[in-house]
Amino acid sequence: MMSLRRAASAAALLATVLSTAVAAPAHAHADDGSAACRPPSAAAPDPEQARLADPRTAALVDRGGLGDFTRRFPAALCSTRNPAEAARLLDAWGTALWHAAVQRAQGRRPGGDLPAGDDRPLYWARLAMTTELARWQPSFTVDRAALRTRFEDASRGLKDNAFRPSPGVRRVFVSGFDPFGLDTEIRRANPSGSAVLRLNGRRITLADGTTAEVRAVVLPVRYADFDAGIVERAFTPRLAGGPAPADIITTVSQGYPGIFTLEAWAGRSRSADPYPDNTRALSGGTREHPVTAPGLGAGPEFIRTTLPADAVTAAVQTPFPVRLNTAVTEIPAGGTAPVDRTDGPTAGSRAVAGGGGGYLSNEVAYRSNRLRGELAPHLPGGHLHTPVLTGLPADPQALTGPEFEQNEDAIAAEVRAVLEHAATVRP
């Protein structure tokens, strides 16, 4: 559990942010003090932000108890007087949004009628706030991209989210993902995001009776953010020493129907086209022509997990089976065509896809474990795929339902069980 001191600090930050003076500054005249710096001719939203036109997205925010953030943020932005103030505001509001989402996921922040563990309110609130940031027209010059990065990082758990130095307590660092596939079904959630929000900051009892603290981040489903190093920004502080580095890292994403898989291998390449990311961008790579992701440091074509797969699969099998997935796709040494293998890569081959495919779930595993091998090679690390979250009601206007909530709860509980066994084994 979060310490009383940290909980009080988070609550104070949240109260401070939401009580930010929203009276109109001298240059603004609208009722909320924001219209003068939010002209209707501002830049068009990107494809991800454009989905906010669907009224169900606003309902997910309001019914998730985060509506105050989206309502008050524009006027707060317009109250800033210089770039330094704007940067501090983006840090504070992003951090407060993250803390509010974590507190809600853990049942410590009431509000709205959606289930506490629902990850969708955080996703849509963040997106609405980045849309307001894009629309904002201050009277001073700002680096809008840098400000968005500050806000994104803070609202995803990359800031003010360090482990507490506690002797004898193991430290588990995990990442989840935003919802994706929203052009097909805008109500989709991501059980990996839900699971890590429920765990962030908590103390859990491991299978051997010892204690661990979990810290988490929720990453975007966007190639551009990976190109810009968001995985490295998230994982480097947990691996590079300091007073309280991680003892184990695990990336988590949504994978296959009805089953958990521990991925034995992560591949260096992208090969997911024509499947797009959340901005409808493509990876640039296919099965026949994989590409190396921009910004990657030196590393092997495939990286093997060092998570204790035997301990996990022997102990955790309900309600979903947990399997070690040793499959990869490679272009063998001297070959030109991709070959699917069930027993891992062969010497000298080119990576096409890891066990998790050639999409961002594979890439987060590769990037984080490449860093682990460079900075903390003794640590266990790898990737966990959850089952696909199902159970949304047939009525497209119904945002939740009993089956959906039960499935999300079950997946989150089993993610925790996996970590309780994986973190028990010492390297």
Side-chain angles (χ1 to χ4, degrees):
M1 292 288 290
M2 182 181 288
S3 69
L4 292 177
R5 179 177 296 178
R6 187 181 288 270
S9 174
L13 174 62
L14 180 61
T16 299
V17 167
L18 291 184
S19 63
T20 299
V22 297
H27 60 277
H29 305 287
D31 290 344
D32 68 354
S34 63
C37 71
R38 298 166 62 236
S41 59
D46 65 33
E48 189 175 26
Q49 295 167 337
R51 297 189 187 99
L52 292 164
D54 189 313
R56 291 173 293 181
T57 64
L60 284 165
V61 175
D62 285 334
R63 292 179 59 184
L66 299 181
D68 277 351
F69 283 91
T70 57
R71 284 188 288 271
R72 299 186 184 188
F73 183 62
L77 260 183
C78 286
S79 72
T80 58
R81 296 166 294 182
N82 55 60
E85 277 191 10
R88 289 193 296 269
L89 182 135
L90 270 295
D91 285 343
W93 278 74
T95 301
L97 178 62
W98 170 255
H99 285 315
V102 168
Q103 290 169 8
R104 188 177 187 282
Q106 298 176 10
R108 295 183 286 110
R109 185 175 191 270
D113 64 345
L114 291 179
D118 199 321
D119 65 309
R120 297 172 296 175
L122 171 61
Y123 172 74
W124 291 110
R126 181 195 301 113
L127 203 57
M129 294 165 78
T130 65
T131 302
E132 289 297 339
L133 177 61
R135 184 180 177 187
W136 174 51
Q137 296 295 319
S139 58
F140 47 90
T141 301
V142 295
D143 184 338
R144 200 179 304 272
L147 289 177
R148 176 165 179 174
T149 295
R150 295 181 76 114
F151 176 75
E152 291 266 358
D153 283 4
S155 66
R156 294 180 177 281
L158 274 69
K159 299 180 180 179
D160 191 30
N161 195 24
F163 290 106
R164 290 166 282 172
S166 301
V169 176
R170 294 199 32 98
R171 295 177 291 272
V172 181
F173 186 62
V174 298
S175 68
F177 271 110
D178 285 345
F180 65 100
L182 300 168
D183 285 333
T184 303
E185 172 54 84
I186 204 163
R187 298 175 297 165
R188 279 193 175 129
N190 193 320
S192 70
S194 173
V196 304
L197 284 171
R198 299 178 198 220
L199 288 167
N200 184 68
R202 283 192 177 277
R203 294 279 175 90
I204 62 175
T205 301
L206 302 180
D208 64 356
T210 60
T211 301
E213 178 181 337
V214 183
R215 290 287 162 181
V217 294
V218 175
L219 298 172
V221 184
R222 297 190 298 243
Y223 288 113
D225 293 73
F226 274 53
D227 295 349
I230 192 169
V231 176
E232 289 76 11
R233 293 199 304 276
F235 280 85
T236 297
R238 324 295 179 167
L239 296 170
D247 294 306
I248 178 174
I249 63 168
T250 309
T251 54
V252 188
S253 66
Q254 181 176 240
Y256 309 100
I259 189 172
F260 275 87
T261 55
L262 285 168
E263 303 302 340
W265 297 96
R268 187 172 173 83
S269 297
R270 291 175 177 172
S271 57
D273 294 358
Y275 193 81
D277 72 3
N278 273 350
T279 66
R280 302 195 186 106
L282 297 176
S283 73
T286 65
R287 272 179 58 91
E288 291 71 27
H289 301 286
V291 298
T292 300
L296 276 182
E301 287 295 303
F302 290 96
I303 297 176
R304 189 182 183 101
T305 184
T306 54
L307 292 177
D310 290 345
V312 172
T313 56
V316 185
Q317 290 294 326
T318 58
F320 302 97
V322 183
R323 301 285 185 263
L324 177 66
N325 180 20
T326 58
V328 299
T329 304
E330 66 176 16
I331 297 175
T336 58
V339 175
D340 296 324
R341 299 184 59 89
T342 60
D343 55 352
T346 57
S349 66
R350 168 81 191 276
V352 176
Y359 195 49
L360 290 170
S361 57
N362 169 77
E363 188 169 326
V364 73
Y366 186 92
R367 284 181 179 267
S368 60
N369 283 281
R370 191 203 68 80
L371 272 177
R372 177 187 56 76
E374 179 181 296
L375 301 174
H378 60 287
L379 294 190
H383 186 79
L384 176 69
H385 264 124
T386 76
V388 174
L389 177 57
T390 60
L392 281 169
D395 177 0
Q397 298 305 313
L399 300 182
T400 190
E403 182 184 356
F404 173 79
E405 295 173 18
Q406 291 164 9
N407 290 342
E408 191 166 48
D409 289 346
I411 293 172
E414 196 161 339
V415 169
R416 177 169 176 161
V418 167
L419 295 179
E420 288 169 352
H421 287 82
T424 297
V425 178
R426 269 56 171 177

